[in-house]
Amino acid sequence: QSALTQPASVSGSPGQSITISCTGTSSDVGGYKYVSWYQQHPGKAPKLMIYEVSNRPSGVSNRFSGSKSGNAASLTISGLQAEDEADYYCSSYTSSSTVIFGGGTKLTVL
Amino acid sequence: EVQLVESGGGLVQPGGSLRLSCAASGFTFSTSDMNWVRQAPGKGLEWVSYISSRGNGIYYADSVKGRFTISRDNAKNSLYLQMNSLRAEDTAIYYCARDFGYSYGTFDYWGQGSLLTVSS
């Protein structure tokens, strides 16, 4: 099973908003609410930012939001801050009872 | 405080074997489903395997099926990954990760990772 499709990179200036897309199929993203987003800074473990498409774990800033339409999910970060610069990964539960990740998106804060 | 600490990584020759361990603390390990996720150097995340809280539900990625075995010891609060027939493409940082409640495929806590290098 191929990875979910994410743009390799996105960028934005402080204070702006950016959106990262994540495209899958009806067997993963389109078929389940179990879409998550993770933030990973260099040399660190991933951190859960969004789960079940649009829910934020306790402690995650409300500048992070998620949505889904059909086979595609999106992560939006508003009010960009320097510390948001990181790699972002989407993931989805699949019809095979496995988990598939996206290829990752490098966010650069200009 | 939830802690997951992986150990057991190292350098192994192609075709060799190694067992990774993950020591859990700060939560009720025996009621938590667990996973292994890996990341090749400079690459993205790849889910490897899942085990249910009691160990009666197990799944693997196709890339490791038949070569890797996930297991757990709830009495020792420990998760394991036995890796056999290792290949160069198995070189990666291996993270253990806790399942987030009833949200399938959601990982709320991750260890710091253990590096496996497969090379001659």
Side-chain angles (χ1 to χ4, degrees):
Chain A
Q1 193 167 13
S2 300
L4 304 176
T5 301
Q6 296 181 233
S9 63
V10 297
S11 63
S13 299
Q16 288 186 332
S17 295
I18 63 93
T19 296
I20 299 172
S21 62
C22 171
T23 303
T25 69
S26 58
S27 295
D28 38 67
V29 174
Y32 301 91
K33 67 177 182 178
Y34 303 113
V35 176
S36 303
W37 289 90
Y38 300 87
Q39 176 191 66
Q40 187 180 35
H41 287 109
K44 301 295 186 182
K47 175 186 177 182
L48 179 65
M49 305 301 285
I50 295 287
Y51 69 97
E52 291 181 7
V53 176
S54 59
N55 295 300
R56 282 187 308 276
S58 175
V60 172
S61 170
N62 59 10
R63 297 185 299 104
F64 291 82
S65 62
S67 64
K68 190 183 86 164
S69 178
N71 296 337
S74 296
L75 172 71
T76 297
I77 309 174
S78 59
L80 268 180
Q81 299 179 1
E83 64 255 35
D84 298 333
E85 185 163 294
D87 293 328
Y88 291 85
Y89 294 90
C90 63
S91 75
S92 175
Y93 184 71
T94 81
S95 59
S96 302
S97 300
T98 60
V99 178
I100 187 170
F101 283 94
T105 298
K106 180 177 179 60
L107 169 60
T108 301
V109 180
L110 303 171
Chain B
E1 178 194 6
V2 172
Q3 281 201 319
L4 297 169
V5 180
E6 301 93 339
S7 61
L11 175 63
V12 180
Q13 291 190 336
S17 300
L18 200 70
R19 188 178 84 156
L20 299 179
S21 300
C22 172
S25 61
F27 66 101
T28 306
F29 180 75
S30 61
T31 61
S32 296
D33 298 345
M34 299 294 296
N35 298 264
W36 287 100
V37 178
R38 68 183 181 183
Q39 186 171 33
K43 302 297 184 182
L45 300 171
E46 180 188 15
W47 173 82
V48 173
S49 185
Y50 158 93
I51 186 168
S52 62
S53 59
R54 298 181 185 180
N56 56 341
I58 288 176
Y59 297 96
Y60 297 100
D62 287 344
S63 58
V64 307
K65 199 174 295 183
R67 300 186 300 121
F68 289 12
T69 302
I70 192 171
S71 64
R72 63 190 297 158
D73 185 336
N74 286 344
K76 295 183 177 180
N77 288 343
S78 293
L79 175 72
Y80 306 103
L81 186 67
Q82 176 66 43
M83 303 179 290
N84 299 329
S85 303
L86 285 164
R87 307 166 180 167
E89 53 264 36
D90 295 319
T91 294
I93 296 173
Y94 285 74
Y95 297 100
C96 65
R98 189 182 80 166
D99 247 35
F100 181 39
Y102 295 102
S103 187
Y104 297 141
T106 303
F107 313 130
D108 61 346
Y109 284 96
W110 299 61
Q112 85 290 346
S114 183
L115 177 62
L116 166 69
T117 302
V118 183
S119 175
S120 55

